[in-house]
Amino acid sequence: MKFKAIAAAVLVAGMGVTSVLAQEGTHESRSALMKKVGGSAGAMTAIAKGEKPYDAEVVKAALTTISETAKVFPDQFKPGTETGDKAASPKIWEKMDDFKARAAKLGSDADKILAQLPADAAGVGGALKTLGANCGGCHENYRIKTD
């Protein structure tokens, strides 16, 4: 069990290094933060689908990463950083209050779920529905598909 906790901590710490290496307010820094969220959601999805066994430490680490990332993500969109990021819609800067509110809701929801940690794969699936709705709503409004 200690090994799993250490592995989860190393995973989260490793995700943090990525964002430190990218310059703040750039496409790279934004992408690094979103990859942290995606990695966390992926870890939880594997548990929810039964591909990985339920592990409270992994769920805790994933929710903590999502919460912390949601709180700093809007800071990556300061005035003057509108150019050079083909995935970021100009609507972000036009509707910054809504953008920040959406990020705050994601962080708040992650904190609430963390406070009442899901006890099994079904609970993790329910948490993902809540968090996914936040992510999807923001992507729908503020992300330009570049594929």
Coordinates of all heavy atoms in Angstrom, one line a residue, residues 34-94:
M34 N -3.2 21.3 -18.9 CA -4.3 20.4 -19.3 C -3.9 19.0 -19.4 O -4.7 18.1 -19.1 CB -4.8 20.9 -20.7 CG -5.7 22.1 -20.6 SD -7.3 21.9 -19.7 CE -6.8 22.5 -18.1
K35 N -2.7 18.7 -19.7 CA -2.2 17.3 -19.7 C -2.2 16.7 -18.3 O -2.5 15.5 -18.1 CB -0.8 17.2 -20.3 CG -0.8 17.3 -21.8 CD 0.5 17.3 -22.4 CE 0.4 17.5 -23.9 NZ 1.7 17.5 -24.6
K36 N -1.9 17.6 -17.3 CA -2.0 17.1 -15.9 C -3.4 16.7 -15.6 O -3.7 15.7 -15.0 CB -1.6 18.2 -14.9 CG -0.1 18.5 -14.9 CD 0.3 19.7 -14.1 CE 0.0 19.5 -12.7 NZ 0.5 20.6 -11.8
V37 N -4.4 17.5 -16.0 CA -5.8 17.2 -15.7 C -6.2 16.0 -16.5 O -6.8 15.1 -16.0 CB -6.7 18.4 -16.1 CG1 -8.2 18.0 -16.1 CG2 -6.5 19.6 -15.2
G38 N -5.8 15.9 -17.8 CA -6.1 14.7 -18.6 C -5.5 13.4 -18.0 O -6.2 12.4 -18.0
G39 N -4.3 13.5 -17.5 CA -3.7 12.3 -16.9 C -4.4 11.9 -15.6 O -4.6 10.7 -15.4
S40 N -4.8 12.9 -14.9 CA -5.6 12.6 -13.6 C -6.9 12.0 -14.0 O -7.4 11.0 -13.4 CB -5.8 13.8 -12.8 OG -4.5 14.3 -12.4
A41 N -7.6 12.5 -15.0 CA -8.9 12.0 -15.4 C -8.7 10.6 -16.0 O -9.5 9.7 -15.7 CB -9.5 12.9 -16.4
G42 N -7.6 10.4 -16.7 CA -7.3 9.1 -17.2 C -7.1 8.0 -16.1 O -7.6 6.9 -16.3
A43 N -6.4 8.4 -15.1 CA -6.2 7.5 -14.0 C -7.5 7.1 -13.3 O -7.8 5.9 -13.0 CB -5.3 8.1 -12.9
M44 N -8.4 8.1 -13.2 CA -9.7 7.8 -12.5 C -10.6 7.0 -13.5 O -11.4 6.2 -13.0 CB -10.4 9.2 -12.2 CG -9.7 9.9 -11.0 SD -10.3 11.5 -10.6 CE -12.0 11.1 -10.2
T45 N -10.5 7.3 -14.8 CA -11.3 6.6 -15.8 C -11.0 5.1 -15.7 O -11.8 4.2 -15.8 CB -11.1 7.2 -17.2 OG1 -11.6 8.5 -17.2 CG2 -11.9 6.4 -18.2
A46 N -9.7 4.8 -15.6 CA -9.2 3.4 -15.6 C -9.8 2.7 -14.4 O -10.2 1.5 -14.5 CB -7.7 3.3 -15.6
I47 N -9.9 3.4 -13.3 CA -10.6 2.8 -12.1 C -12.1 2.6 -12.3 O -12.6 1.6 -12.0 CB -10.3 3.6 -10.8 CG1 -8.8 3.5 -10.5 CG2 -11.1 3.2 -9.7 CD1 -8.3 4.5 -9.4
A48 N -12.7 3.7 -12.8 CA -14.2 3.6 -13.0 C -14.6 2.5 -14.0 O -15.6 1.9 -13.8 CB -14.7 5.0 -13.5
K49 N -13.7 2.3 -15.0 CA -14.0 1.2 -16.0 C -13.6 -0.2 -15.5 O -13.9 -1.2 -16.2 CB -13.3 1.5 -17.3 CG -13.9 2.7 -18.1 CD -13.2 2.9 -19.4 CE -13.8 3.9 -20.2 NZ -13.1 4.0 -21.5
G50 N -13.0 -0.3 -14.4 CA -12.5 -1.6 -13.9 C -11.2 -2.0 -14.5 O -10.8 -3.2 -14.4
E51 N -10.6 -1.2 -15.3 CA -9.3 -1.5 -15.9 C -8.2 -1.6 -14.9 O -7.2 -2.3 -15.1 CB -9.0 -0.5 -17.0 CG -9.9 -0.6 -18.2 CD -9.8 0.6 -19.1 OE1 -8.9 1.5 -18.9 OE2 -10.6 0.6 -20.1
K52 N -8.3 -0.8 -13.8 CA -7.4 -0.8 -12.7 C -8.2 -1.0 -11.4 O -9.3 -0.5 -11.4 CB -6.6 0.6 -12.6 CG -5.8 0.9 -13.9 CD -4.5 0.3 -13.8 CE -3.7 0.7 -15.0 NZ -2.3 0.3 -14.9
P53 N -7.6 -1.6 -10.4 CA -8.3 -1.7 -9.2 C -8.5 -0.4 -8.5 O -7.7 0.5 -8.7 CB -7.5 -2.7 -8.4 CG -6.1 -2.5 -8.9 CD -6.3 -2.2 -10.4
Y54 N -9.6 -0.3 -7.7 CA -9.8 1.0 -6.9 C -8.6 1.2 -6.0 O -8.1 0.2 -5.3 CB -11.1 0.9 -6.1 CG -11.2 2.1 -5.2 CD1 -11.8 3.2 -5.7 CD2 -10.8 2.0 -3.9 CE1 -11.9 4.4 -4.8 CE2 -10.9 3.1 -3.0 CZ -11.4 4.3 -3.5 OH -11.5 5.4 -2.7
D55 N -8.1 2.4 -6.0 CA -7.0 2.7 -5.1 C -7.2 4.2 -4.6 O -7.2 5.1 -5.4 CB -5.7 2.7 -5.9 CG -4.4 2.9 -5.1 OD1 -4.5 3.7 -4.1 OD2 -3.4 2.3 -5.4
A56 N -7.5 4.3 -3.4 CA -7.9 5.6 -2.8 C -6.7 6.6 -3.0 O -7.0 7.8 -3.2 CB -8.2 5.4 -1.3
E57 N -5.5 6.2 -2.9 CA -4.4 7.1 -3.0 C -4.3 7.7 -4.4 O -4.0 8.8 -4.6 CB -3.1 6.4 -2.6 CG -3.0 6.1 -1.2 CD -3.1 7.3 -0.3 OE1 -2.6 8.4 -0.6 OE2 -3.9 7.2 0.8
V58 N -4.6 6.8 -5.4 CA -4.6 7.3 -6.8 C -5.7 8.3 -7.0 O -5.5 9.3 -7.7 CB -4.7 6.1 -7.8 CG1 -4.9 6.6 -9.2 CG2 -3.4 5.3 -7.7
V59 N -6.9 8.0 -6.5 CA -8.0 8.9 -6.6 C -7.7 10.2 -6.0 O -8.0 11.3 -6.5 CB -9.3 8.2 -6.1 CG1 -10.5 9.2 -6.1 CG2 -9.6 6.9 -6.9
K60 N -7.2 10.1 -4.8 CA -6.8 11.4 -4.0 C -5.8 12.2 -4.8 O -6.0 13.4 -4.9 CB -6.2 11.0 -2.7 CG -7.0 11.3 -1.5 CD -6.2 11.1 -0.2 CE -6.8 10.0 0.6 NZ -6.1 9.8 1.9
A61 N -4.8 11.6 -5.3 CA -3.8 12.3 -6.1 C -4.4 12.9 -7.3 O -4.1 14.1 -7.6 CB -2.6 11.4 -6.4
A62 N -5.3 12.2 -8.0 CA -5.9 12.7 -9.2 C -6.8 13.9 -8.9 O -6.7 15.0 -9.6 CB -6.7 11.6 -9.9
L63 N -7.6 13.8 -7.9 CA -8.5 14.9 -7.5 C -7.7 16.1 -7.0 O -8.1 17.3 -7.3 CB -9.5 14.4 -6.4 CG -10.5 13.5 -6.9 CD1 -11.3 12.8 -5.7 CD2 -11.5 14.2 -7.8
T64 N -6.6 15.9 -6.3 CA -5.8 17.0 -5.8 C -5.2 17.7 -7.0 O -5.2 19.0 -7.1 CB -4.7 16.5 -4.9 OG1 -5.4 15.9 -3.7 CG2 -3.8 17.6 -4.4
T65 N -4.7 17.0 -8.0 CA -4.1 17.6 -9.2 C -5.1 18.4 -9.9 O -4.9 19.5 -10.3 CB -3.5 16.5 -10.1 OG1 -2.4 15.8 -9.4 CG2 -3.0 17.1 -11.4
I66 N -6.3 17.9 -10.1 CA -7.4 18.6 -10.8 C -7.7 19.9 -10.1 O -7.8 20.9 -10.7 CB -8.6 17.7 -11.0 CG1 -8.3 16.6 -12.0 CG2 -9.8 18.5 -11.5 CD1 -9.3 15.5 -12.1
S67 N -7.9 19.8 -8.8 CA -8.2 20.9 -7.9 C -7.2 22.0 -8.0 O -7.5 23.2 -8.3 CB -8.4 20.5 -6.5 OG -8.5 21.6 -5.7
E68 N -5.9 21.6 -7.8 CA -4.8 22.6 -7.9 C -4.6 23.2 -9.3 O -4.4 24.4 -9.4 CB -3.5 21.9 -7.4 CG -3.5 21.6 -5.9 CD -2.4 20.8 -5.5 OE1 -1.5 20.3 -6.3 OE2 -2.2 20.5 -4.3
T69 N -4.8 22.4 -10.3 CA -4.6 22.9 -11.6 C -5.7 23.9 -12.0 O -5.5 24.9 -12.6 CB -4.6 21.7 -12.6 OG1 -3.5 20.9 -12.3 CG2 -4.4 22.2 -14.1
A70 N -6.9 23.6 -11.6 CA -8.1 24.4 -11.9 C -7.9 25.8 -11.3 O -8.3 26.8 -11.8 CB -9.4 23.8 -11.4
K71 N -7.2 25.9 -10.1 CA -7.0 27.1 -9.4 C -6.0 28.0 -10.1 O -6.1 29.2 -10.0 CB -6.7 26.9 -8.0 CG -7.9 26.3 -7.2 CD -7.5 25.8 -5.8 CE -8.8 25.2 -5.2 NZ -8.5 24.2 -4.2
V72 N -5.0 27.4 -10.8 CA -4.0 28.3 -11.4 C -4.2 28.4 -12.9 O -3.5 29.3 -13.5 CB -2.6 27.7 -11.1 CG1 -2.3 27.7 -9.6 CG2 -2.4 26.3 -11.7
F73 N -5.0 27.6 -13.5 CA -5.1 27.6 -15.0 C -5.5 29.0 -15.5 O -4.9 29.5 -16.5 CB -6.1 26.5 -15.4 CG -6.1 26.3 -16.9 CD1 -5.0 25.9 -17.6 CD2 -7.3 26.6 -17.7 CE1 -5.0 25.7 -19.0 CE2 -7.3 26.4 -19.0 CZ -6.2 26.0 -19.7
P74 N -6.5 29.7 -15.0 CA -6.9 31.0 -15.5 C -5.8 32.0 -15.5 O -5.8 32.9 -16.4 CB -8.1 31.4 -14.7 CG -8.6 30.2 -14.1 CD -7.4 29.3 -13.9
D75 N -4.8 31.9 -14.6 CA -3.7 32.8 -14.6 C -2.8 32.7 -15.8 O -2.0 33.6 -16.0 CB -2.9 32.5 -13.3 CG -3.6 32.8 -12.0 OD1 -4.6 33.6 -12.1 OD2 -3.2 32.2 -11.0
Q76 N -3.0 31.6 -16.6 CA -2.2 31.5 -17.8 C -2.7 32.3 -19.0 O -2.2 32.2 -20.1 CB -2.2 30.0 -18.2 CG -1.5 29.1 -17.1 CD -0.1 29.5 -16.9 OE1 0.7 29.6 -17.8 NE2 0.2 29.7 -15.6
F77 N -3.8 33.0 -18.7 CA -4.5 33.8 -19.8 C -4.5 35.3 -19.5 O -5.5 35.9 -19.7 CB -5.9 33.2 -20.0 CG -5.9 31.8 -20.5 CD1 -5.9 30.7 -19.6 CD2 -5.9 31.5 -21.8 CE1 -5.9 29.4 -20.0 CE2 -5.9 30.2 -22.2 CZ -5.9 29.1 -21.3
K78 N -3.4 35.8 -19.1 CA -3.3 37.2 -18.8 C -3.4 38.0 -20.1 O -3.2 37.5 -21.2 CB -1.9 37.5 -18.1 CG -1.8 36.9 -16.8 CD -0.5 37.2 -16.2 CE -0.2 36.8 -14.8 NZ -1.0 35.8 -14.1
P79 N -3.8 39.3 -19.9 CA -3.9 40.2 -21.1 C -2.5 40.2 -21.8 O -1.5 40.2 -21.2 CB -4.2 41.5 -20.5 CG -4.9 41.2 -19.2 CD -4.3 40.0 -18.7
G80 N -2.5 40.1 -23.1 CA -1.3 40.1 -23.9 C -0.8 38.7 -24.3 O 0.1 38.6 -25.0
T81 N -1.6 37.7 -23.8 CA -1.2 36.3 -24.2 C -2.2 35.7 -25.1 O -2.3 34.5 -25.3 CB -1.1 35.4 -22.9 OG1 -2.4 35.3 -22.3 CG2 0.0 35.9 -21.9
E82 N -2.9 36.6 -25.8 CA -4.0 36.1 -26.8 C -3.4 35.5 -28.0 O -4.1 34.7 -28.7 CB -4.9 37.3 -27.2 CG -5.6 37.9 -26.1 CD -4.9 39.1 -25.4 OE1 -3.7 39.2 -25.6 OE2 -5.6 39.9 -24.8
T83 N -2.2 35.8 -28.4 CA -1.7 35.3 -29.7 C -0.8 34.1 -29.5 O -0.2 33.8 -28.4 CB -0.8 36.4 -30.4 OG1 0.2 36.8 -29.5 CG2 -1.7 37.6 -30.7
G84 N -0.6 33.3 -30.5 CA 0.3 32.2 -30.5 C -0.3 30.9 -30.0 O 0.4 29.9 -29.8
D85 N -1.6 30.9 -29.6 CA -2.2 29.7 -29.1 C -3.5 29.4 -29.9 O -4.5 30.0 -29.7 CB -2.6 29.8 -27.6 CG -3.0 28.5 -27.0 OD1 -3.4 27.6 -27.7 OD2 -3.0 28.4 -25.8
K86 N -3.4 28.5 -30.9 CA -4.5 28.2 -31.8 C -5.6 27.5 -31.2 O -6.7 27.4 -31.7 CB -3.9 27.5 -33.0 CG -3.0 28.3 -33.9 CD -2.4 27.5 -35.0 CE -1.5 28.4 -35.8 NZ -0.5 27.7 -36.5
A87 N -5.4 26.9 -30.0 CA -6.5 26.2 -29.3 C -7.3 27.1 -28.4 O -8.4 26.7 -28.0 CB -5.9 25.0 -28.5
A88 N -6.8 28.2 -28.0 CA -7.5 29.1 -27.1 C -8.4 30.1 -27.8 O -7.9 30.9 -28.6 CB -6.5 29.9 -26.2
S89 N -9.6 30.1 -27.6 CA -10.6 31.0 -28.2 C -10.4 32.4 -27.7 O -10.2 32.6 -26.5 CB -12.0 30.5 -28.0 OG -12.9 31.5 -28.4
P90 N -10.6 33.4 -28.6 CA -10.5 34.8 -28.1 C -11.6 35.1 -27.1 O -11.5 36.0 -26.3 CB -10.8 35.6 -29.4 CG -10.4 34.7 -30.5 CD -10.7 33.3 -30.0
K91 N -12.6 34.2 -27.0 CA -13.7 34.4 -26.1 C -13.2 34.3 -24.6 O -13.8 34.9 -23.7 CB -14.8 33.3 -26.3 CG -15.6 33.4 -27.5 CD -16.6 32.2 -27.6 CE -17.2 32.2 -29.0 NZ -18.1 31.0 -29.1
I92 N -12.1 33.6 -24.4 CA -11.5 33.6 -23.1 C -11.3 35.0 -22.5 O -11.7 35.3 -21.4 CB -10.2 32.8 -23.1 CG1 -10.5 31.3 -23.4 CG2 -9.5 32.9 -21.7 CD1 -9.2 30.5 -23.6
W93 N -10.6 35.8 -23.3 CA -10.3 37.1 -22.9 C -11.5 38.1 -22.9 O -11.6 39.0 -22.1 CB -9.2 37.7 -23.7 CG -7.9 37.0 -23.5 CD1 -6.9 37.3 -22.5 CD2 -7.4 35.8 -24.1 NE1 -5.9 36.4 -22.6 CE2 -6.2 35.4 -23.5 CE3 -7.9 35.0 -25.1 CZ2 -5.4 34.3 -23.9 CZ3 -7.2 33.9 -25.5 CH2 -5.9 33.5 -24.9
E94 N -12.5 37.8 -23.8 CA -13.7 38.6 -23.9 C -14.6 38.3 -22.7 O -15.4 39.2 -22.3 CB -14.4 38.3 -25.2 CG -13.7 38.7 -26.4 CD -14.2 38.1 -27.7 OE1 -15.3 37.4 -27.7 OE2 -13.6 38.2 -28.8

